Amino acid sequence: MSPAMQPDDPGAEQPFVSHLIELRDRLIRMSIAIFVVFLALFPFANEIYTFVAAPLMAQLPEGNTMIATQVAAPFLTPFKLALIAAVFLSMPFLLYQFWGFVAPGLYKHEKRLATPLLISSIFLFYIGVAFAYFLVFPLIFAFLSASTPDGVAMMTDISAYLDFVLALFFAFGIAFEIPIATILLVAVGITTPADLVRMRPYVIVGAFVVGMLLTPPDVISQTLLAVPMWLLFELGIVFSKVLVRKRANDTDEDPDPDASDSASSRAPSTPDGPIGGSTMGRVTPRPQTREIGRDLDPHFDDPDRWQPLSESEMEAELDLIEADEILDAPRHFGPDATQTTQTAIPAGAPAINSVEEKIRRANRLRELGSTFAARTVLYEVLEEGDADQRRVARNILNQLDEA
């Protein structure tokens, strides 16, 4: 791209072509890395194949060997294995390049979650491959060798064997990623640890079905894949509970005193006056609003007492807040309104009568430092808005959690 096409502001959004150029550069680096590793491994291709074939060779009857049924198989099969091994060994660098391309578009909290998951997913995949080679292969090949009919010589083709072990490597590597998938589902809000616990019987049955489809038609290999999948699912539930508990603790922590002082200096306060004309933003809530706040906002009361509301309880609490707003509206929007109220919402501004206005109101309250009031308005948006509006509300709530 020529210098004239570069944006003046380095923080400005880059044009689509620049993203394509960056993607091309990273793909070239990935290809070079794979090629370099392949050049280093190719002279040892036959030794690598001998190492991969060792579990089968150890179980073959005396005098039996592997065979090549195609003319070019003695050369192409080790060549194929060396290339796949190069990709396998280059995976950390490949994922690093992928992360470098994706990371600038992520939020800060998404980066904090994605970095450990990315690293752990690499190690889990390697552990799955090692589990298949050192534990599963000896048991599978011992079973298959023992079940060979009399009069049949077990002499496996080298190409067929390579395809077989690569399929198992891939199956076990992906199966060991189950904890990562479980944590991601909980992190993005698709499910909860409690829902995963209720789904346990279906997951166990599904693990055996997947084991049946991805492994040879014998009970041993199916069980050796299904049982680790189930145990890894249980491990994912444990880590997802830790993630949820950590988020709750982060939310329940007291705000920074300096931030509180700064927020109080920005937000106008009166003994009994609202912020922006609503009882939800009042600095000193009335007893009824305080009781509602204890359930809606974990900052409001002892964190050990806070429990998430059910849908019916949430509707009842929001109805109480709405009724409280209606009772206070004449006093806060009347001609005797205080200067604080007039500053928060200009004179003649319409009342909050739509979800979009409530989203704007929540942003305004957040700027004024009234976190509790902003959360309460966002809870109403989650109750009344459509899918896009609820997504915006959840993003603002996440930003409030990180503040």
Side-chain angles (χ1 to χ4, degrees):
M1 182 178 295
S2 63
M5 299 177 62
Q6 296 288 346
D8 297 334
D9 184 8
E13 182 178 356
Q14 300 296 315
F16 180 71
V17 175
S18 65
H19 292 296
L20 291 179
I21 294 175
E22 181 184 2
L23 179 61
R24 180 203 62 185
D25 294 340
R26 293 191 179 276
L27 290 176
I28 291 175
R29 295 173 194 168
M30 295 164 68
S31 302
I32 293 175
I34 295 174
F35 181 71
V36 170
V37 176
F38 171 74
L39 290 180
L41 294 179
F42 182 71
F44 310 97
N46 291 334
E47 289 78 1
I48 295 174
Y49 188 89
T50 302
F51 174 78
V52 174
L56 176 62
M57 296 294 295
Q59 303 299 332
L60 288 178
E62 185 69 24
N64 289 9
T65 61
M66 301 182 69
I67 61 174
T69 59
Q70 298 177 1
V71 176
F75 171 78
L76 292 180
T77 301
F79 179 91
K80 176 182 177 181
L81 179 59
L83 181 60
I84 295 175
V87 176
F88 180 77
L89 295 177
S90 305
M91 191 58 64
F93 180 79
L94 303 182
L95 291 178
Y96 172 77
Q97 293 296 323
F98 174 76
W99 173 251
F101 179 75
V102 174
L106 300 178
Y107 291 107
K108 184 177 180 181
H109 68 280
E110 293 174 336
K111 292 181 181 179
R112 288 201 304 265
L113 178 63
T115 302
L117 291 181
L118 185 66
I119 296 174
S120 59
S121 64
I122 298 174
F123 284 103
L124 285 174
F125 187 85
Y126 286 162
I127 292 173
V129 173
F131 179 84
Y133 181 83
F134 291 104
L135 182 61
V136 178
F137 285 180
L139 296 176
I140 292 179
F141 297 140
F143 172 81
L144 296 177
S145 177
S147 61
T148 303
D150 294 336
V152 176
M154 183 177 180
M155 305 178 70
T156 307
D157 178 65
I158 59 175
S159 299
Y161 174 79
L162 180 61
D163 295 338
F164 175 80
V165 297
L166 289 180
L168 286 184
F169 280 151
F170 182 78
F172 278 88
I174 295 299
F176 273 65
E177 301 291 337
I178 289 178
I180 305 299
T182 304
I183 295 173
L184 287 176
L185 290 176
V186 174
V188 301
I190 296 178
T191 185
T192 63
D195 293 335
L196 293 175
V197 171
R198 287 193 293 268
M199 293 171 57
R200 180 182 288 123
Y202 305 99
V203 172
I204 295 175
V205 174
F208 278 91
V209 172
V210 173
M212 177 187 65
L213 297 176
L214 296 182
T215 58
D218 63 276
V219 178
I220 295 178
S221 58
Q222 177 186 5
T223 305
L224 288 176
L225 179 59
V227 172
M229 289 176 65
W230 169 50
L231 295 178
L232 290 168
F233 172 75
E234 299 293 338
L235 183 64
I237 293 178
V238 173
F239 281 112
S240 63
K241 288 181 179 179
V242 173
L243 174 65
V244 172
R245 190 178 301 112
K246 182 178 181 301
R247 284 186 173 181
N249 292 336
D250 293 342
T251 304
D252 292 341
E253 288 179 357
D254 293 331
D256 185 23
D258 298 336
S260 300
D261 295 340
S262 176
S264 60
S265 63
R266 293 194 308 267
S269 61
T270 58
D272 193 31
I275 296 178
S278 171
T279 58
M280 296 179 293
R282 191 173 298 157
V283 176
T284 306
R286 297 186 311 185
Q288 180 187 8
T289 308
R290 184 181 297 276
E291 292 300 325
I292 297 172
R294 287 195 178 98
D295 291 327
L296 291 179
D297 189 14
H299 291 291
F300 210 94
D301 204 354
D302 186 0
D304 294 334
R305 292 180 52 190
W306 181 81
Q307 294 293 334
L309 296 177
S310 64
E311 294 184 2
S312 59
E313 291 173 339
M314 178 68 74
E315 292 178 358
E317 297 294 351
L318 293 176
D319 291 340
L320 289 175
I321 296 173
E322 184 176 357
D324 197 17
E325 289 180 346
I326 295 174
L327 291 175
D328 288 343
R331 179 160 58 89
H332 297 311
F333 289 97
D336 297 332
T338 61
Q339 183 64 29
T340 301
T341 303
Q342 295 174 359
T343 302
I345 291 184
I352 298 178
N353 55 7
S354 70
V355 177
E356 294 293 338
E357 292 174 351
K358 289 185 178 182
I359 294 176
R360 289 193 293 269
R361 172 68 179 281
N363 283 322
R364 177 59 177 162
L365 290 172
R366 182 180 61 171
E367 295 173 359
L368 293 175
S370 183
T371 304
F372 167 65
R375 287 178 180 275
T376 308
V377 177
L378 292 172
Y379 291 144
E380 293 187 2
V381 175
L382 292 176
E383 186 72 18
E384 302 171 3
D386 55 23
D388 293 335
Q389 293 164 341
R390 290 195 299 270
R391 177 176 54 80
V392 173
R394 280 192 291 267
N395 289 338
I396 299 176
L397 286 171
N398 290 335
Q399 295 172 10
L400 292 175
D401 292 339
E402 296 173 5

